[in-house]
């Protein structure tokens, strides 16, 4: 039986590779990929996730969570690698590639989608966070039971 996961990502190059590998892995059931602001603003992360899924065109499309958040500030205490993360990923998060495409007709806010999926399948979903934990924080504020309904959390 495939492991059910939600991927919460800021959709930079590394996150794109991780999401691609997960979507194509027959032992993983990617229920959703949710966008968060990190190396790019939330709307760009949302667009990047949409582009990745459209390019892969997997047999089963995961649901997409959107973000409207701006870039989080980089802490003055962050290490050099963290401070250069945005420069490494380029202005659009995926190097110099800029993806167009239609806006989502009915965007689902990331934290809301995460809560919905976990409530529908309690104790079966692992949350994989690849970016800032903003959506996790919002989900916990809106649904205090959120963490207890997860099978697990993997923070990268």
């Amino acid at each position: 039986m495939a492991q059910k996961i939600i991927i919460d990502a800021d959709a930079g190059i590394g996150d794109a590779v991780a999401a691609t590998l997960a979507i194509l892995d027959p032992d993983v059931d990617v229920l959703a990929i949710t966008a968060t602001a990190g190396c790019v603003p939330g709307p760009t992360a949302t667009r990047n996730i949409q582009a990745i899924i459209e390019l892969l065109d997997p047999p089963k499309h995961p649901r997409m969570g959107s973000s409207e958040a701006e870039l989080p500030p980089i802490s003055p205490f962050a290490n050099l690698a963290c401070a250069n993360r945005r420069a490494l990923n380029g202005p659009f998060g995926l190097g110099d590639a800029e993806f167009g495409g239609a806006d989502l007709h009915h965007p689902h806010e990331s934290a809301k989608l995460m809560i919905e999926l976990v409530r529908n399948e309690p104790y079966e979903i692992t949350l994989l966070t690849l970016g800032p934990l903003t959506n996790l924080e919002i989900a916990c504020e809106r649904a205090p039971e959120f963490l207890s309904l997860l099978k697990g959390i993997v923070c990268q």
Side-chain angles (χ1 to χ4, degrees):
M1 186 170 174
Q3 172 66 46
K4 296 177 182 183
I5 68 168
I6 297 170
I7 300 173
D8 188 49
D10 58 352
I13 295 169
D15 294 2
V17 172
T20 299
L21 292 173
I23 289 171
L24 298 177
D25 187 333
D27 294 327
V28 177
D29 183 7
V30 180
L31 300 177
I33 303 177
T34 55
T36 188
C39 66
V40 293
T44 303
T46 301
R47 188 172 41 254
N48 287 353
I49 289 169
Q50 182 180 1
I52 292 163
I53 293 170
E54 288 176 359
L55 286 170
L56 293 175
D57 193 22
K60 179 187 175 222
H61 283 239
R63 294 182 65 188
M64 289 183 276
S66 65
S67 172
E68 293 298 320
E70 294 301 317
L71 289 173
I74 294 179
S75 165
F77 303 107
N79 62 30
L80 185 59
C82 179
N84 289 327
R85 178 181 59 229
R86 291 182 189 148
L88 173 69
N89 286 288
F92 309 109
L94 298 175
D96 290 330
E98 181 178 13
F99 294 95
D103 290 335
L104 297 174
H105 291 286
H106 300 287
H108 300 280
E109 190 260 332
S110 292
K112 183 177 179 181
L113 178 58
M114 290 165 47
I115 293 167
E116 175 189 328
L117 290 170
V118 170
R119 283 181 173 162
N120 288 341
E121 299 191 56
Y123 319 114
E124 295 184 23
I125 299 172
T126 299
L127 176 62
L128 171 60
T129 63
L130 301 176
L133 302 178
T134 310
N135 290 331
L136 178 60
E137 178 183 12
I138 294 169
C140 290
E141 288 174 357
R142 291 184 186 168
E145 75 282 7
F146 181 76
L147 289 177
S148 65
L149 294 176
L150 287 169
K151 179 178 181 180
I153 300 175
V154 177
C155 295
Q156 178 57 30

